Amino acid sequence: MFLTVIFWGHATRAAEEPAPPAHAPESENAAKRRVKEFLALLDAKDIAEFKKYIGENFTPLFKAMPMERHLEFFGAIRDITGGLDLESLESPAPNQVLAHCKARLSGRIITLEMRLEAKPPHRIAALSSRASKPSSTSKKRSDDEIKQELQTLLQKLADANVFSGTVLLARDGVPIFEGAYGIANKDFDVPNQIDTKFNLGSMNKMFTAVAVAQLVERDKLSFDDPLSKYLPEFPDAEGAKKIQIKHLLSHTAGLGPYFSRAWQQSSRNLYRSVDDQMKRAAADEKLLFEPGSRHRYSNTGMLVAGKVIEIASGQDYYEYVRENIYQPAGMVNSDSYEVDKVNKNMAVGYEKHYDENGVWYQNNLLEHSMRGGPQGGGYSTVHDLLAFDRALRGNKLVSAESVKLLLSAKPELNSPGYGYGFQVDEKQKLAGHGGGFLGINSNLDMFLDSGWTAVVMSNYGRGAMIPQQTMRELVLANSSATPATGQ
């Protein structure tokens, strides 16, 4: 049993149960009928009818999920797509159908996957959605065509309240498109501006990795240093000897996610420094696998790298990054601001929810940290992130050799899609980082062989996904590359 919403990399899912046995009576026709019924429900926008449909047409196990999960799924698809038009159907296995549909709002292709019970009445046993192939061709476009296409799409998304945030697309460091949409603070109806500060989520990891590379160049540490040289008891004496600095930066150290249940149940006011956050991590951290043997995304690993920066540099982490990255790069609106203090022109994050009354918004002020850290949670602007890209690839922060090291995947560490602090797609010559949390969704794409930079920042959870993927496809088409088909 599963209920999933996936749009360009974001997923929310319930616990899976084994799929029904492969058995094929007239279930293929039944699956197609069920898909058409679901699309009709989306068009009707009638929550009462959808609830009735669940009761009559879902398997007992599937409909036993909390009703709010079903309504969130239904509402999110309806809201984000503006409705779906069926393009084609395929049945890759008995009792399964894939419905490729065009989203009316964005024109993108969304695939609905539906699985049915094997025997009549062939009730729905599983339902999910995901982004599929781009609907547009890969033709090259002029700057004016790119600007018009982005402006049209973003305005449609903003008018439908699917996107709120800022977008910037630049070539060789010069913006060819930028825009601000939506509301920064819904309580006072304050609009977003191009210099509005948005939460970076995990994008802080790039700054942490660059700081480590700077200290390596200054002979303050080495990528091969054991963690025990700086933190001899973290996570324990044996683990500290096995973990190397490069493992922290590539998510191969065997450390955990940091945002544990204990963190969720504790006061956000407790975490305002790297040491504060390290206390939380040390309370329940343990080595999950042999360092270098696997890739497992770890916020704890990047937090620990931040503490190593403090020890090696003799400076507070925030001061070091401010003086050695933000200032030389010209990032005047970036920092790990304390959110319970006055911070001008800063967007409030909102998570959209769907229930019987429609759409409602929850701000993330009590969900997020009071202050970000080495692993994420700082703030920046689209212009500052462009400045960071210019400074990094212009070798103003570290040498060209170090830039290449940071932006290269590390298959030797079992990290084929991640370098040191940067997500990497070597096939498409793409590096950068994204960030997401409740009410947070931002992304920086650096196109390494063409000089393009794409930045999108949103104060809606999942809000950046469609603009990010659209810009990626436009750039790759203009670079004579094959567009990505989702993340």
Side-chain angles (χ1 to χ4, degrees):
M1 175 182 68
F2 64 84
L3 183 67
T4 311
V5 180
I6 303 179
F7 290 108
W8 299 276
H10 183 89
T12 332
R13 62 188 303 146
E16 278 198 28
E17 299 289 345
H23 181 69
E26 71 280 6
S27 61
E28 183 174 334
N29 288 333
K32 293 177 181 178
R33 173 170 53 83
R34 294 296 191 195
V35 166
K36 293 177 181 179
E37 290 170 353
F38 182 76
L39 296 182
L41 286 168
L42 284 179
D43 283 341
K45 303 179 182 179
D46 190 323
I47 294 296
E49 281 299 311
F50 180 63
K51 291 175 67 175
K52 180 181 177 183
Y53 187 82
I54 290 172
E56 296 176 351
N57 299 285
F58 282 19
T59 60
L61 184 61
F62 194 35
K63 70 182 180 183
M65 287 175 56
M67 180 58 67
E68 57 265 26
R69 294 295 304 276
H70 292 295
L71 297 184
E72 286 278 346
F73 178 86
F74 182 76
I77 290 184
R78 188 184 64 198
D79 184 51
I80 293 172
T81 66
L84 294 170
D85 293 319
L86 184 61
E87 295 272 298
S88 63
L89 287 165
E90 60 175 306
S91 296
N95 313 312
Q96 179 188 18
V97 65
L98 300 179
H100 305 296
C101 307
K102 180 178 286 189
R104 293 173 190 159
L105 185 60
S106 66
R108 306 187 68 82
I109 299 299
I110 305 297
T111 296
L112 292 177
E113 178 183 354
M114 190 175 287
R115 295 181 188 174
L116 306 185
E117 59 185 354
K119 297 180 180 180
H122 303 302
R123 291 171 296 184
I124 298 172
L127 179 62
S128 67
S129 69
R130 64 177 181 270
S132 189
K133 60 186 178 181
S135 57
S136 58
T137 60
S138 303
K139 68 177 183 180
K140 291 187 177 182
R141 297 160 174 82
S142 67
D143 286 359
D144 286 342
E145 288 174 326
I146 290 175
K147 289 160 63 176
Q148 185 59 52
E149 190 165 335
L150 285 175
Q151 176 60 37
T152 299
L153 172 65
L154 290 165
Q155 195 60 58
K156 286 177 66 176
L157 296 176
D159 290 345
N161 214 8
V162 170
F163 177 67
S164 174
T166 53
V167 174
L168 183 147
L169 181 63
R171 185 176 51 230
D172 298 326
V174 180
I176 67 165
F177 175 86
E178 59 184 56
Y181 305 85
I183 303 297
N185 187 309
K186 291 184 180 296
D187 289 334
F188 299 98
D189 204 29
V190 177
N192 285 316
Q193 303 174 48
I194 197 63
D195 60 348
T196 296
K197 303 178 186 75
F198 292 86
N199 199 299
L200 291 164
S202 288
M203 295 172 72
N204 281 52
K205 293 177 173 67
M206 298 184 294
F207 311 141
T208 298
V210 171
V212 170
Q214 290 176 337
L215 293 170
V216 169
E217 291 185 348
R218 297 167 190 173
D219 295 324
K220 298 287 187 178
L221 56 78
S222 166
F223 290 116
D224 295 323
D225 279 345
L227 182 58
S228 58
K229 182 176 178 179
Y230 308 94
L231 296 167
E233 300 297 328
F234 189 93
D236 53 59
E238 190 62 28
K241 294 175 184 177
K242 295 180 177 180
I243 297 171
Q244 296 177 294
I245 304 305
K246 62 187 177 184
H247 295 141
L248 300 173
L249 300 180
S250 58
H251 299 289
T252 59
L255 297 175
Y258 178 74
F259 296 109
S260 62
R261 182 179 296 274
W263 180 86
Q264 292 172 350
Q265 295 175 344
S266 61
S267 170
R268 304 298 188 264
N269 194 46
L270 297 174
Y271 312 115
R272 293 182 184 267
S273 69
V274 171
D275 281 342
D276 291 339
Q277 297 171 60
M278 286 292 295
K279 290 176 185 176
R280 174 66 266 155
D284 51 13
E285 192 62 46
K286 61 181 180 180
L287 205 61
L288 301 174
F289 54 83
E290 193 72 17
S293 66
R294 287 174 51 193
H295 175 96
R296 174 170 169 167
Y297 195 84
S298 172
N299 285 298
T300 299
M302 283 293 177
L303 168 61
V304 173
K307 184 58 188 175
V308 170
I309 290 167
E310 291 192 331
I311 295 170
S313 68
Q315 276 188 279
D316 172 79
Y317 171 84
Y318 302 103
E319 291 178 359
Y320 182 91
V321 171
R322 196 177 300 124
E323 293 176 9
N324 292 274
I325 296 176
Y326 296 154
Q327 291 178 6
M331 300 169 68
V332 297
N333 288 306
S334 301
D335 212 329
S336 290
Y337 303 104
E338 294 178 81
V339 299
D340 60 340
K341 296 183 178 179
V342 175
N343 299 289
K344 294 183 178 180
N345 201 13
M346 179 182 289
V348 175
Y350 297 96
E351 193 69 16
K352 299 176 79 170
H353 295 283
Y354 310 86
D355 61 18
E356 295 174 340
N357 298 315
V359 180
W360 61 278
Y361 297 85
Q362 177 186 16
N363 73 49
N364 66 358
L365 296 177
L366 299 181
E367 299 289 341
H368 201 256
S369 301
M370 287 295 180
R371 190 183 195 187
Q375 73 278 27
Y379 285 79
S380 191
T381 67
V382 289
H383 282 152
D384 272 14
L385 290 174
L386 175 60
F388 171 70
D389 178 22
R390 284 197 301 250
L392 180 65
R393 288 200 277 174
N395 307 321
K396 293 181 180 179
L397 300 177
V398 290
S399 68
E401 182 180 359
S402 291
V403 172
K404 184 177 180 180
L405 189 63
L406 291 167
L407 305 186
S408 299
K410 301 292 179 282
E412 71 278 8
L413 298 175
N414 290 294
S415 181
Y418 205 95
Y420 288 159
F422 289 81
Q423 296 164 335
V424 177
D425 184 336
E426 295 202 325
K427 181 179 180 181
Q428 299 188 103
K429 306 299 182 184
L430 181 64
H433 217 292
F437 190 70
L438 297 175
I440 298 167
N441 196 197
S442 298
N443 189 77
L444 168 66
D445 275 345
M446 300 182 292
F447 298 85
L448 304 180
D449 63 347
S450 63
W452 287 83
T453 308
V455 191
V456 55
M457 311 190 79
S458 179
N459 57 331
Y460 283 178
R462 296 196 299 264
M465 297 299 180
I466 297 175
Q468 172 198 343
Q469 195 61 35
T470 300
M471 287 193 290
R472 185 174 290 187
E473 290 162 9
L474 288 169
V475 169
L476 292 173
N478 271 35
S479 303
S480 299
T482 302
T485 59
Q487 299 189 88

